[in-house]
Amino acid sequence: MTGKSAAERRVGLLNGFAAYGMWGLVPLFWPLLKPAGAVEILAHRMVWSLLFVAAALLVIRRWAWLGELLRQPRRLALITVAAAVITVNWGVYIWSVNSGHVVEASLGYFINPLVTIAMGVLLLKERLRPVQWAAVGVGASAVLVLTIGYGRPPWISLCLAFSFAIYGLVKKKVNLGGVESLAAETAIQFLPALGYLLWLSTRGGSTFTTEGAGHAALLAATGIVTALPLVCFGAAAIRVPLSTLGLLQYLAPVFQFVLGILYFKEAMPPERWAGFALVWLALALLTWDALRSARRGARALAGGRRASRSAGATVAAGTADATGTTVPAVPAGTASAARPAESVPGAPEADPLEARP
């Protein structure tokens, strides 16, 4: 690893910690917006997020994607679905935090990887390894235990987990950068959100102009609170391996869980501890299996590359055929050159930094 790549990775890790740290600490922000209700906060978040992201895109002059997107109705339809799903996710999360359900909201992001895997099996017909099946089974048991503990299904957690899993699936099909995707989604949300805020103002129910300049500034800051972690995440994603980001993602629900217990003083009876323990066991199984698979894939890929280099060296040196004639070296890049190692299923994706010229 060169000194430059080491520095880049450190920057990536710092941005990753910043992104997931901000997402983990955001429950401290939403109560500051009271007496605004969850729907008003959500509408302000949509409006101000678009303005903030549009300003950022103006600064970096990144607009080429927009014309291409407008010429692709299918991608526009997927962006609309993503905007609708993330609207549900944002709204439920804001309401849950301001209604005293921070711990249950954190559970939604703990079980999100399990829901994503289950959706992959049901919708994409993916095949799971035995440890992944075990993790999904343990996660289902955890939901059952928590249902008994709460006296009802943990619908807040399930709504957050399923909405975010669907959002991730749609975003994968859209294949648009994080900042660009947020700009497109909030552009779709903008007019309905602005219309709601204007309607609320005409009815005298808006708090934006009635609770002082500080309150108005906090509502406007919802755009920064939404976009800034995404910018940090984007900076991390191009500098550190996906396996590292996969581990960092657990920081956010851990912070939320700790805040729910220690700061918001939410109750945690034994049956809830049991349910959360099962969820954490399922996540530990998933993490262990993913790391083991990544190590195996990396070793296989490295072995294939060594074999390819060895074959290339042999060809370059030249060999003697049956008549004693020396076979000339094969120029790199020709059809007869040594075949490169094939990609190995389960191997970690290449670090984008390593792919740079």
Side-chain angles (χ1 to χ4, degrees):
M1 181 187 300
T2 65
K4 181 179 178 181
S5 65
E8 287 281 331
R9 287 174 186 265
R10 281 195 294 272
V11 171
L13 280 175
L14 288 175
N15 276 281
F17 278 113
Y20 286 108
M22 283 186 280
W23 280 324
L25 297 176
V26 77
L28 296 174
F29 178 72
W30 303 125
L32 300 178
L33 304 182
K34 293 179 179 179
V39 179
E40 183 183 1
I41 295 172
L42 174 64
H44 275 286
R45 185 179 191 180
M46 295 172 178
V47 169
W48 295 107
S49 292
L50 176 61
L51 297 178
F52 182 83
V53 175
L57 289 173
L58 279 174
V59 171
I60 62 179
R61 298 180 181 180
R62 193 188 299 172
W63 291 103
W65 59 273
L66 183 56
E68 181 182 350
L69 180 63
L70 292 175
R71 292 190 296 269
Q72 297 176 314
R74 182 177 178 276
R75 292 181 78 194
L76 274 175
L78 288 173
I79 285 286
T80 303
V81 172
V85 174
I86 203 61
T87 296
V88 173
N89 185 274
W90 285 356
V92 171
Y93 186 78
I94 293 169
W95 176 86
S96 63
V97 169
N98 283 0
S99 300
H101 299 285
V102 176
V103 169
E104 191 174 349
S106 73
L107 175 65
Y109 294 103
F110 276 126
I111 67 175
N112 174 251
L114 301 171
V115 172
T116 300
I117 288 177
M119 289 181 60
V121 173
L122 296 175
L123 300 180
L124 305 179
K125 307 302 180 184
E126 295 178 353
R127 298 178 62 183
L128 300 186
R129 294 184 291 272
V131 176
Q132 292 175 313
W133 276 116
V136 172
V138 172
S141 301
V143 172
L144 179 61
V145 170
L146 288 165
T147 297
I148 297 171
Y150 280 106
R152 56 169 175 79
W155 71 267
I156 293 174
S157 307
L158 294 174
C159 183
L160 291 173
F162 275 93
S163 61
F164 203 72
I166 295 170
Y167 178 69
L169 179 64
V170 174
K171 292 262 285 189
K172 183 176 180 180
K173 292 182 178 296
V174 171
N175 192 26
L176 195 62
V179 176
E180 293 88 344
S181 181
L182 180 63
E185 291 157 19
T186 51
I188 292 170
Q189 296 169 333
F190 181 81
L191 288 179
L194 182 62
Y196 173 79
L197 291 176
L198 293 174
W199 173 81
L200 194 65
S201 181
T202 60
R203 290 174 54 89
S206 173
T207 64
F208 184 70
T209 57
T210 60
E211 297 295 325
H215 180 73
L218 285 173
L219 286 173
T222 54
I224 299 175
V225 169
T226 300
L228 186 57
L230 185 64
V231 172
C232 292
F233 175 81
I238 63 173
R239 291 177 172 87
V240 299
L242 292 179
S243 57
T244 303
L245 285 179
L247 294 176
L248 287 177
Q249 72 174 335
Y250 296 126
L251 285 177
V254 166
F255 285 175
Q256 294 165 13
F257 177 78
V258 171
L259 284 174
I261 294 175
L262 299 182
Y263 182 81
F264 293 100
K265 308 296 183 182
E266 294 186 18
M268 278 294 291
E271 57 271 20
R272 291 185 191 173
W273 279 112
F276 270 86
L278 286 172
V279 169
W280 294 331
L281 173 61
L283 293 177
L285 288 172
L286 276 184
T287 302
W288 173 75
D289 181 69
L291 292 176
R292 183 184 63 168
S293 177
R295 283 195 296 268
R296 286 179 176 176
R299 285 197 297 267
L301 191 59
R305 287 172 177 168
R306 284 195 298 269
S308 178
R309 287 196 296 268
S310 176
T314 301
V315 173
T319 58
D321 65 9
T323 63
T325 305
T326 300
V327 180
V330 180
T334 64
S336 301
R339 182 183 180 186
E342 296 180 358
S343 61
V344 180
E349 295 188 26
D351 186 343
L353 178 62
E354 303 298 333
R356 291 181 182 176

